[in-house]
Amino acid sequence: MDPTPARMDLGRLIEQPSGDFSSEESQQLRQDFTRFMMRYKFGMEEIVTKLSILRDEFAHLHDTNPIENISSRLKNPDSILEKMGRKNCEPTFESITEKITDIAGVRVTCSFVSDVYHVFELLTSQSDVNVVDIRDYITDPKPNGYRSLHALIEVPVFMSDGEVPVLVEVQMRTIAMDFWASLEHKIHYKYREEVPESLLEGLRQAAETAGELDTTMERLHTEVKTAGELSVELQRKLRASGDVVPDEAFVERLRGLSP
């Protein structure tokens, strides 16, 4: 595929992917754009397949499953065009590939923070997966409280014209982090980025609460996994330290929520 097609035609094509382009050159451009997007679609599906295999294996062969949910999305032409403007991206396939790295995205939701890192290790240890970039917003949250593990992953896609490396953005987070991120997105969408400071502060506090919940649930998870395996003396020390096992009052409150 020619990496530098007629620039205005590519811009028009992204704006109107189903428009009427009568010239032979424009028709070829449309075909090239379709092939360009299909590569990202197939790369995204490749990652989803790898994660689905892991999830199904854990569901059938292991006691616990670290993967709660897998979702994916491919940027639509409007989103690509908007990001091209923000990044001063030239209307060429080459420039889009270089500057817009989240055309294909996959999101993985896990129960516990430890599961996030476990799934990431399982995915990225595969021989045909190349990690291009990692941004750990769990260890180092964003100022607004956002927590998630972001990885830019390259996988090979095999098409009729040969092998093509494709970038896919993978986001991994806990259920609590995902709930917070969904609410934050809805608030910013509603207020068009002009969010009242009171709401922003509320989101920051909610992020801290979500982080505390993840910590507590991790402790409960550890207690369940190690129940009966630790000596009474070691369990007593862990409870005294509070580093691994939650206090009894919190456990009782959780039990009270059970049906």
Side-chain angles (χ1 to χ4, degrees):
M1 179 180 62
D2 181 3
T4 56
R7 300 157 79 128
M8 291 305 295
D9 279 351
L10 179 56
R12 288 175 55 218
L13 181 62
I14 295 175
E15 288 179 345
Q16 299 177 302
S18 60
D20 181 19
F21 298 94
S22 57
S23 73
E24 182 177 338
E25 181 181 0
S26 294
Q27 289 177 1
Q28 180 62 49
L29 180 58
R30 177 188 290 178
Q31 185 179 64
D32 289 344
F33 180 71
T34 299
R35 179 177 291 271
F36 177 76
M37 293 302 295
M38 287 179 71
R39 291 174 177 176
Y40 284 98
K41 177 178 181 292
F42 297 150
M44 178 182 70
E45 291 175 348
E46 180 73 17
I47 295 294
V48 170
T49 297
K50 290 177 179 294
L51 290 165
S52 297
I53 289 172
L54 290 172
R55 180 180 59 184
D56 290 351
E57 179 196 337
F58 275 98
H60 291 90
L61 300 178
H62 299 272
D63 294 333
T64 60
N65 193 337
I67 300 176
E68 291 287 342
N69 185 58
I70 304 167
S71 60
S72 60
R73 66 102 185 95
L74 196 66
K75 271 191 180 300
N76 59 43
D78 287 340
S79 296
I80 294 175
L81 191 66
E82 186 271 336
K83 198 152 193 177
M84 286 172 63
R86 285 194 288 114
K87 288 183 168 288
N88 295 318
C89 180
E90 295 292 330
T92 66
F93 293 124
E94 186 179 52
S95 182
I96 293 172
T97 299
E98 178 184 351
K99 294 188 177 182
I100 304 180
T101 57
D102 62 345
I103 293 177
V106 175
R107 182 175 301 159
V108 185
T109 307
C110 302
S111 294
F112 308 103
V113 173
S114 58
D115 288 340
V116 170
Y117 292 107
H118 185 205
V119 173
F120 175 76
E121 181 179 1
L122 290 173
L123 174 64
T124 57
S125 64
Q126 297 185 25
S127 60
D128 59 344
V129 172
N130 178 36
V131 180
V132 176
D133 185 43
I134 301 175
R135 297 183 183 182
D136 189 349
Y137 297 119
I138 297 177
T139 302
D140 186 19
K142 289 186 177 182
N144 67 347
Y146 177 84
R147 289 174 168 85
S148 187
L149 180 65
H150 287 203
L152 195 59
I153 291 175
E154 185 181 79
V155 290
V157 169
F158 297 88
M159 299 185 68
S160 60
D161 57 351
E163 176 184 339
V164 182
V166 175
L167 289 178
V168 180
E169 183 187 67
V170 180
Q171 298 179 2
M172 297 184 177
R173 59 182 65 152
T174 65
I175 296 171
M177 295 174 196
D178 191 58
F179 180 44
W180 182 92
S182 176
L183 176 61
E184 192 260 358
H185 176 76
K186 290 176 182 177
I187 289 175
H188 278 272
Y189 181 80
K190 177 178 177 61
Y191 286 92
R192 305 294 182 181
E193 303 302 325
E194 297 295 331
V195 183
E197 183 58 37
S198 60
L199 280 179
L200 293 175
E201 180 58 30
L203 280 171
R204 284 189 285 268
Q205 293 177 5
E208 292 179 5
T209 301
E212 292 170 359
L213 175 62
D214 275 334
T215 300
T216 301
M217 297 305 290
E218 189 80 52
R219 290 172 179 171
L220 285 171
H221 183 51
T222 301
E223 182 179 26
V224 170
K225 287 195 301 182
T226 59
E229 299 177 4
L230 303 179
S231 67
V232 174
E233 178 63 18
L234 182 54
Q235 289 187 45
R236 184 189 65 77
K237 290 181 179 180
L238 289 174
R239 289 178 184 279
S241 70
D243 290 335
V244 177
V245 182
D247 61 274
E248 292 292 349
F250 185 82
V251 174
E252 287 302 318
R253 289 201 299 272
L254 284 179
R255 288 172 179 162
L257 294 175
S258 301

